[in-house]
Amino acid sequence: MTNILVAIILVVAIVAIVWFLVKQLSVLVVNAICGLVGLFLVNFLHVMQWMGKPDLGYDVATLLICAIGGIPGVLILMLLGILGITI
């Protein structure tokens, strides 16, 4: 009886952990998609050229910052571009 109770508790704990990870993963995926779409829109609409600066471009560092940081990552890259700091 004790073995069955321990097994049930372990299964419930594993299901709870997997549910939490899937929920967090979906938030990260949505954040990454929003950041990459934001970067595309900034470059497509030439927002940086309105301020007299070159576009942000699509190199590995820029894509990683936008994928991990999302919209705040795009805003940070824009601010760094305005200040003249390139990545």
Side-chain angles (χ1 to χ4, degrees):
M1 181 69 178
T2 305
N3 292 337
I4 295 173
L5 187 61
V6 170
I8 291 173
I9 291 173
L10 285 175
V11 168
V12 169
I14 290 171
V15 168
I17 290 171
V18 168
W19 176 260
F20 177 75
L21 291 176
V22 167
K23 197 164 96 172
Q24 292 299 320
L25 183 66
S26 65
V27 170
L28 290 175
V29 168
V30 169
N31 191 30
I33 290 171
C34 289
L36 293 175
V37 168
L39 176 66
F40 173 76
L41 288 175
V42 166
N43 285 333
F44 182 74
L45 299 174
H46 304 290
V47 173
M48 295 299 289
Q49 289 182 1
W50 296 346
M51 294 174 259
K53 302 292 182 179
D55 284 335
L56 296 175
Y58 296 108
D59 58 348
V60 175
T62 304
L63 290 175
L64 282 175
I65 290 172
C66 290
I68 294 171
I71 297 296
V74 175
L75 295 176
I76 289 171
L77 285 175
M78 288 178 64
L79 180 64
L80 289 174
I82 292 170
L83 295 174
I85 302 170
T86 58
I87 295 189

